[in-house]
């Protein structure tokens, strides 16, 4: 099984909501790993939109703060990204990622799930 598997993407109109899920297994599911959600829109570089450490403390990119919420269900090793008030600019491929807490670089990425927001 792949270490990180995303689900929950889809198409939604602006103003709508989606919730992404990511199942972590193997090393990325370990207690000493921190997680994040990245996205990459067409023609753009990949950017981290939200992160969460192993104490549950979240961080957010300015572009999504107040609209997106990252959380983790530790018992099931599932990472979530609740996305509300979606904008057309949020259209992108979204990736779940994992890194060892204490390190800054993410070494694990999922295959991605597409989110498309229409006007």
């Amino acid at each position: 099984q792949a270490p990180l598997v995303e689900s929950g993407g889809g198409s939604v109109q602006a103003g709508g909501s989606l919730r992404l899920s990511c199942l972590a297994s193997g090393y990325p599911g370990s207690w000493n790993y921190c997680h994040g959600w990245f996205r990459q829109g067409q023609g753009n570089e990949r950017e981290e939109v939200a992160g969460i450490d192993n104490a549950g403390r979240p961080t957010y990119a300015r572009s999504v703060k107040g609209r997106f919420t990252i959380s983790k269900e530790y018992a099931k090793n599932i990472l979530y990204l609740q996305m509300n008030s979606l904008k057309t600019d949020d259209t992108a491929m979204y990736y779940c990622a994992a890194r060892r807490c204490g390190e800054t670089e993410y070494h694990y990425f999922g295959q991605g799930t597409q989110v498309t927001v229409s006007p």
Side-chain angles (χ1 to χ4, degrees):
Q1 183 175 350
L4 297 169
V5 179
E6 304 96 336
S7 61
S11 297
V12 65
Q13 285 190 318
S17 298
L18 282 173
R19 188 176 78 159
L20 306 182
S21 300
C22 173
L23 177 63
S25 58
Y27 284 118
S30 302
W31 66 270
N32 59 334
Y33 273 73
C34 296
H35 298 84
W37 286 97
F38 285 70
R39 69 184 181 188
Q40 186 168 18
Q42 195 167 8
N44 296 330
E45 293 186 356
R46 187 165 59 186
E47 62 170 339
E48 183 177 4
V49 295
I52 188 166
D53 67 13
N54 57 354
R57 292 176 292 228
T59 57
Y60 298 98
R62 185 176 298 180
S63 57
V64 307
K65 198 168 186 178
R67 300 188 297 120
F68 290 10
T69 302
I70 188 171
S71 61
K72 185 176 178 183
E73 191 171 351
Y74 288 89
K76 296 183 178 179
N77 278 337
I78 299 176
L79 182 71
Y80 298 103
L81 185 67
Q82 178 67 43
M83 305 184 294
N84 298 328
S85 302
L86 282 161
K87 305 175 182 179
T88 55
D89 287 348
D90 295 319
T91 295
M93 185 72 80
Y94 283 72
Y95 300 89
C96 174
R99 60 176 172 85
R100 286 186 182 178
C101 298
E103 297 181 358
T104 57
E105 186 175 356
Y106 286 85
H107 292 286
Y108 294 91
F109 287 87
Q111 292 297 307
T113 185
Q114 179 68 35
V115 171
T116 302
V117 184
S118 58

